[in-house]
Each structure stands twice: as C-alpha cells, then as structure tokens.
C-alpha cells in the first residue's frame, strides 16, 4: 500500500502564525521574588495555591522556571541536567505535575556561553537543548542574552540577530514549537538606535520579548515604583511592534514587593493589562493577601489584556502629573487609561476627542476597577491619588463607532512631543495641550496628521520644510510610518526632532528620527 507522503512544513512562529500565542502569556515565574532560591516545593505549592485561589481559572496558566534550575556541568553527552537537590523528582516529573493540574511549564536558558547566573548557556548546543526541553514536557522558553560575544566580524547587535533567529528556526521546526520569549532587546536599551534595530526583527522571531531592565527584585535596593516606571517608559516607545502573536514584555508583576503601596500594585497591573503585556506574577502566591488576589483576577482588566486585537495602549497626552493612554478593543470599544505619576492627588479632564471619538456622541463608560457605568459626553473628569490608575472601557452607541488613531507623536529618544505652532511644528516638552494631540487618518503611505488644536490643518512637507497647511490643499500632506519608527514624508525625507521639526534623509542610525505614534496606525511595508 502506497503511503501518503505529507511534507513536513516548518511551523512559523509569532506574527506569521499568531495562533501559536494568540494572547499574551499569564502565569508565575520565580525570579523577581526568589531569584536563585527556587525548588520543586516552591513550584508545587505555587501551583496548588494558583489553583485553589482561582488564578488558574482566571487565566494564569503558566509556571515558568527562571535561572539556576540546572547543574553547573552538562552530562557526558552534552545534555543539560537539572539540579537534583532543588528538583528531586526531576523536571519531567514537574512538567507532568503541572500539566495534570492544567498548567504549562516554561524554562529559562541563555543564548550565550553562560546564563546570567553562571550556569551553562546554550551557545553551540541550541538544537540539543531545544530537544531536551521538549522531551521534558516544556513548552515555553525564556532565552536570556548574557555572555553573548560577536563572532565572524559581526556587530554585537547582529550577533544577537543571528543567534535568536537560529533559535527561532529550531523552535519553529519542532512538531510543537515552544513559545519563545526573547531577551535580546534588553541588552541594547541604553542605545536608542541599536535597541530599535534589534526590536525590528524581534516580532518575526518569537512571541514576546523582554526589552528593558529587570524589574526590581524583592531583595533589591531602590524604589520598586521607579523600576516599574522605568520599564513603563521603555514600553510606551514600542507600540508599533506589538501585534497579534507578538507582545512587548515590560517584565514581571511584583504584587508582594514591600516597597509598593496598594495603589502602585494596582497601577502596575492595570498598566500592564492596558498594554496587552504578559502578566507573569513573581511573588509568593500562597501568602498574597486576598485583596491582591482579587485585583489580579479582575476579569474586566484581564479581558483587556487578552483582547485579540493585541493593540498596545499608546500615549495620548503627557504632562507633569498625568499620562493618558488609549487603544481600541476587538468589539469596537475604546480604552481610556489614566495614570497619576505625580506625588499628590490631582484631577484632570480628558476630552473624548483625545481618544479619537466624536464629541457629538454620548458614550457608555465602565470603570474597570469599580464596575460602575456612567454616560459621558464631551469629556471625562478623573481624580486620582498619587500613583493610582483609572481604566475606563468606553462603548460607542450605534452610528458613533468610527474611531481615529489619536494621540502624541513623539521622538522616542528625547521624549519630546511634536507640537503644532502657528503654521509650523516644533518638538517641545509634552504638556497635554491640543496642539500635541494628533489625529492620524488614512493608511500605508497615505497617512495624514492633523493637530486637534486646528483640525483644518495637516502636517506637510514643503520645499524641504515641515509646515502646517490646509488639509484640503492636497499637496505634501501624505506621510508613512515604518516599523523602524521613521515618519517619512511624500518627498522621501524623514521627520527629525530638532527644535523646529525638520526633514532629513531617512537614516536607520539617527535616534532623532524614531517616532512613536498612536496605536492603530497602519504601518507602511518595507524600509523608509
Ligand atoms: C537576567 C534576566 C532576569 C533573570 C536573570 C537570571 O537578569 O533579565 O529576568 O532571568 O537574568 O539570572
């Protein structure tokens, strides 16, 4: 009997195959709470607690081992070996234990010669280690980037690209590809152009990426809130990279960190959910107070986090107190997230036009912390204690469902905002005025950018200058935005952050050309 030959096609990962990870991962990782002090009991106790306290049911279905799970030496055949004191029953046993309860088990390795904790790295053992993990029942790999050195004359950033895309190929070719968490960008976040050039290939090679500093560990010195705000600050620069199948990862939730107030813990969760970010808890879950478990299980916020559109909330405005963010959700609702970064209670009013909505409509707004619903027209007023966050889910009535990507256009390197100013544009400190809120219409290479301070005007390139002209004048008002962050005018040059906004030859290595735009803007394909 002739056998039907079915060719084995490589399974593509991440954005090319969003079904691999259609929504950001949720679960537990030991690192920020316990660092190297992990063992089997911590994981079995945590699993039981997540089950009995309803976290598994709420969606937290991953148990991820971090560094220090292994022995310092590989076996004679080159295989990695678990630490038999920490894991007396072995990792395959733990994977089986996790699976029987309804969890996945994830693991940690490093693309270089050694992990950050000094254990054997996977360099030149890539296929062998991937096979080992799969044979143990692991389905998620966080691949760190300590101890990577450039080879064959490559730039360091190209070495990371080489190693992580090799891993991507190996994982994609497996019958059940492991979820791939890429830590490469975190090694470049102090240099805006290197960081961005690394980010450019990340969504095509894995499902999530740690892009910035480590969130402050439990025993660490310093301010946990500042650490959260640092990673938040990196995350808001990366809106354009996120799409179904790939998620920017600003690192763990740390809801038992002794340095955080209740409001700060809740803000951390609400902001990460607004971003559609991974929700990986690094805390001692059995001892978390019930009120913390309750907010971590907030279904409305988890629904936002897991929304299939996978948009990341982007900055609408920023001033010395408040950050206002918005994004769209699959059912046509708009999200409004407001964070009081200031040090005292304060009030702000957000016009619905800032959210890309029509001010002649009335909207239903649901407060996702209290579940109270109110009707809003024109604007929403919020009063927030220091470091607290409001999240509203805004539902348009029939006939008012059109939304326009709206918000800040800013140079991600300097943080300065594109500002409309009598016939021209400048880059200035962000101050939340309408001259810094831009409605972005159109798609691809036909974006038009109009400030809310004068919606009859559009940003235009004219004779090498950046001007504001009547939108219907029709000339020079088309722009395109690229994954690289470039905002290119119809004339072929790119917007650049100088005191007066200007145009220069598009260049991949000029940080002043890397722009953040509202979420929902359709990117142009190819390179600027
Ligand atoms: C790096 C990572 C952390 C953790 C440690 C382990 O610092 O960023 O998340 O994995 O390594 O050594």
């Amino acid at each position: 009997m002739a056998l039907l030959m079915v060719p084995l096609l490589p399974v593509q990962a991440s954005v090319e195959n969003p079904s691999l990870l259609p929504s950001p991962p949720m679960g537990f990782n030991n690192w920020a709470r316990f660092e190297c002090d992990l063992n089997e009991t911590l994981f079995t106790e945590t699993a039981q607690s997540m089950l009995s306290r309803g976290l598994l049911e709420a969606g937290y279905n991953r148990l991820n081992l971090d560094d220090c799970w292994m022995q310092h030496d590989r076996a004679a055949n080159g295989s990695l070996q678990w630490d038999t004191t920490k894991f007396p029953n072995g990792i395959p046993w733990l994977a089986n234990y996790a699976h029987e309860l309804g969890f996945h088990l994830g693991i940690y390795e490093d693309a270089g010669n050694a992990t950050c904790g000094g254990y054997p790295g996977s360099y030149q053992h890539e296929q062998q280690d991937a096979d080992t993990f799969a044979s143990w029942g692991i389905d998620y790999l966080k691949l760190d980037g300590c101890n990577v050195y450039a080879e064959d004359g490559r730039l360091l950033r190209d070495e990371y690209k080489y190693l992580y895309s090799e891993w991507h190929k190996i994982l994609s070719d497996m019958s059940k590809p492991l979820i791939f968490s890429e830590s490469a960008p975190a090694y470049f976040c102090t240099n805006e152009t290197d960081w961005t050039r690394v980010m450019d290939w990340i969504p095509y090679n894995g499902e999530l990426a740690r892009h910035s500093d480590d969130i402050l560990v439990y025993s660490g010195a310093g301010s946990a809130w500042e650490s959260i705000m640092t990673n938040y600050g990196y995350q808001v620069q990366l809106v354009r990279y996120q799409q179904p199948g790939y998620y920017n990862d600003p690192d763990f939730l740390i809801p038992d960190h002794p340095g955080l107030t209740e409001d700060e813990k809740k803000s951390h969760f609400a902001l990460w959910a607004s971003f559609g970010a991974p929700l990986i808890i690094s805390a001692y879950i059995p001892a978390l107070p019930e009120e913390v478990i309750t907010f971590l299980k907030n279904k409305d916020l988890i629904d936002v986090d897991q929304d299939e559109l996978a948009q990341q909330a982007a900055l609408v405005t920023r001033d010395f107190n408040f950050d206002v963010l918005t994004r769209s959700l699959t059912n046509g609702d708009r999200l409004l997230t407001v964070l009081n970064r200031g040090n005292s209670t304060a009030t702000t009013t957000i016009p619905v036009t800032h959210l890309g909505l029509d001010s002649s409509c009335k909207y239903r707004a649901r407060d996702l912390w209290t579940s109270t619903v109110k009707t809003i027209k024109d604007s929403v007023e919020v009063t927030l204690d220091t470091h607290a966050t409001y999240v509203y889910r805004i539902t348009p009535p029939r006939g008012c469902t059109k939304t326009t990507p709206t918000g800040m256009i800013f140079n991600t390197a300097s943080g300065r905002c594109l500002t409309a100013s009598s016939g021209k544009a400048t880059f200035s400190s962000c101050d939340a005025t309408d001259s810094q809120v831009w409605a972005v219409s159109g798609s691809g290479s036909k974006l038009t950018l109009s400030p809310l301070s004068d919606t009859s005007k559009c940003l235009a390139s004219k004779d090498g200058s950046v001007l504001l002209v009547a939108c219907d004048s029709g000339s020079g008002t088309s722009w395109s935005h690229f994954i690289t962050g470039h905002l290119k005018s119809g004339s072929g040059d790119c917007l650049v952050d100088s005191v007066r906004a200007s145009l220069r030859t598009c260049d991949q290595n000029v940080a002043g050309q890397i722009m953040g735009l509202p979420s929902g803007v359709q990117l142009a394909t190819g390179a600027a």
Side-chain angles (χ1 to χ4, degrees):
M1 197 174 75
L3 282 177
L4 191 63
M5 296 297 288
V6 182
L8 271 181
L9 292 176
V11 183
Q12 292 167 323
S14 64
V15 292
E16 288 143 359
N17 180 9
S19 66
L20 200 57
L21 191 65
S23 59
M26 296 170 64
F28 164 78
N29 176 300
N30 61 279
W31 183 258
R33 181 63 174 80
F34 296 98
E35 297 172 75
C36 283
D37 197 8
L38 77 172
N39 58 41
E40 185 179 290
T41 311
L42 171 65
F43 275 79
T44 54
E45 269 182 21
T46 295
Q48 291 297 344
S49 175
M50 290 171 81
L51 182 66
S52 64
R53 306 190 81 182
L55 288 170
L56 173 63
E57 199 185 348
Y60 296 90
N61 62 1
R62 294 185 182 275
L63 301 170
N64 290 346
L65 304 163
D66 211 283
D67 203 353
C68 314
W69 57 265
M70 60 180 114
Q71 295 185 29
H72 277 108
D73 295 307
R74 289 176 178 269
N77 69 357
S79 298
L80 292 168
Q81 323 180 76
W82 60 83
D83 180 320
T84 51
T85 308
K86 289 174 180 161
F87 296 96
N89 285 303
I91 303 275
W93 177 90
L94 186 60
N96 191 45
Y97 181 92
H99 296 159
E100 283 188 350
L101 295 180
F103 292 97
H104 300 272
L105 190 68
I107 209 158
Y108 167 101
E109 241 297 2
D110 190 286
N113 292 322
T115 71
C116 301
Y119 291 84
S122 277
Y123 183 62
Q124 291 181 337
H125 288 272
E126 291 83 359
Q127 184 71 55
Q128 181 177 29
D129 291 353
D131 292 341
T132 301
F133 298 148
S135 75
W136 290 351
I138 301 286
D139 69 2
Y140 178 114
L141 171 65
K142 167 178 170 182
L143 189 70
D144 214 337
C146 270
N147 307 303
V148 169
Y149 305 100
E151 303 240 336
D152 298 335
R154 287 189 277 267
L155 288 176
L156 189 59
R157 74 184 194 202
D158 293 335
E159 183 70 28
Y160 278 80
K161 180 177 182 180
Y162 172 76
L163 291 174
Y164 279 78
S165 31
E166 282 300 303
W167 267 99
H168 169 62
K169 275 188 226 138
I170 291 170
L171 299 178
S172 306
D173 282 346
M174 299 175 88
S175 55
K176 277 199 201 150
L178 271 65
I179 301 298
F180 190 26
S181 165
E182 310 161 271
S183 296
Y187 290 84
F188 294 90
C189 65
T190 54
N191 177 315
E192 194 81 13
T193 56
D194 279 348
W195 186 52
T196 311
R197 298 297 69 85
V198 169
M199 280 304 306
D200 294 346
W201 50 261
I202 282 289
Y204 303 95
N205 286 285
E207 288 70 46
L208 64 154
R210 274 286 314 287
H211 52 68
S212 48
D213 297 346
D214 286 6
I215 211 88
L216 189 68
V217 296
Y218 189 81
S219 64
S223 157
W225 177 248
E226 272 174 30
S227 159
I228 291 167
M229 284 295 95
T230 299
N231 282 9
Y232 166 89
Y234 282 111
Q235 177 91 2
V236 294
Q237 302 179 40
L238 300 178
V239 168
R240 63 186 179 278
Y241 292 104
Q242 186 159 298
Q243 50 178 306
Y246 167 75
Y247 312 93
N248 294 318
D249 181 5
D251 212 5
F252 308 123
L253 297 174
I254 46 171
D256 63 1
H257 199 288
L260 294 174
T261 66
E262 282 312 295
D263 275 341
E264 289 169 344
K265 291 174 186 176
K266 289 173 73 177
S267 281
H268 190 185
F269 175 68
L271 293 168
W272 268 222
S274 299
F275 288 142
L279 299 178
I280 313 275
I281 303 165
S282 198
Y284 185 48
I285 291 178
L288 281 179
E290 201 47 41
E291 57 273 21
V292 172
I293 295 285
T294 302
F295 82 67
L296 289 171
K297 291 196 299 191
N298 180 311
K299 182 168 176 347
D300 285 333
L301 284 165
I302 290 176
D303 285 350
V304 164
D305 181 72
Q306 300 285 300
D307 186 84
E308 282 167 25
L309 216 51
Q311 278 191 10
Q312 181 180 311
L315 285 166
V316 171
T317 54
R318 165 170 274 183
D319 63 16
F320 54 92
N321 261 333
F322 290 104
D323 273 9
V324 177
L325 303 102
T326 194
R327 71 187 254 209
S328 285
L329 297 158
T330 307
N331 71 344
D333 288 358
R334 273 307 247 184
L335 193 74
L336 166 61
T337 301
V338 188
L339 162 68
N340 179 0
R341 301 177 67 154
N343 292 327
S344 52
T345 304
T347 300
T348 187
T349 301
I350 301 113
V352 295
T353 51
H354 282 199
L355 308 176
L357 300 174
D358 181 341
S359 59
S360 66
C361 303
K362 280 190 191 150
Y363 297 87
R364 187 172 161 270
R366 180 179 168 84
D367 176 334
L368 300 190
W369 280 129
T370 62
S371 300
T372 51
V373 175
K374 63 180 179 184
T375 302
I376 55 168
K377 202 185 164 315
D378 300 326
S379 61
V380 198
E381 186 188 274
V382 298
T383 299
L384 281 168
D385 288 340
T386 172
H387 302 171
T389 299
Y390 253 116
V391 189
Y392 280 105
R393 185 166 180 140
I394 297 177
T395 307
R398 223 174 297 165
C400 294
T401 52
K402 183 177 177 296
T403 56
T404 308
T406 299
M408 279 166 43
I409 295 179
F410 66 110
N411 175 223
T412 61
S414 70
R416 280 195 289 262
C417 273
L418 182 68
T419 310
S421 148
S422 49
K424 56 184 175 59
T426 60
F427 277 92
S428 342
S429 306
C430 303
D431 60 11
T433 56
D434 278 4
S435 58
Q436 295 184 342
V437 185
W438 297 82
V440 183
S441 309
S443 62
S445 60
K446 294 232 167 347
L447 299 176
T448 55
L449 318 172
S450 183
L452 295 195
S453 53
D454 184 351
T455 52
S456 70
K457 295 284 188 334
C458 280
L459 195 75
S461 63
K462 219 162 186 268
D463 306 326
S465 302
V466 178
L467 301 173
L468 282 167
V469 303
C471 291
D472 56 14
S473 68
S475 67
T477 54
S478 286
W479 298 82
S480 25
H481 190 44
F482 291 84
I483 188 115
T484 53
H486 291 87
L487 191 56
K488 186 176 170 183
S489 76
S491 70
D493 286 333
C494 280
L495 187 70
V496 64
D497 170 7
S498 44
V499 176
R500 183 169 171 178
S502 51
L503 290 168
R504 302 271 161 73
T505 308
C506 301
D507 188 328
Q508 303 292 314
N509 289 305
V510 175
Q513 296 184 355
I514 304 169
M515 303 294 161
L517 265 69
S519 60
V521 170
Q522 202 197 84
L523 298 175
T525 51

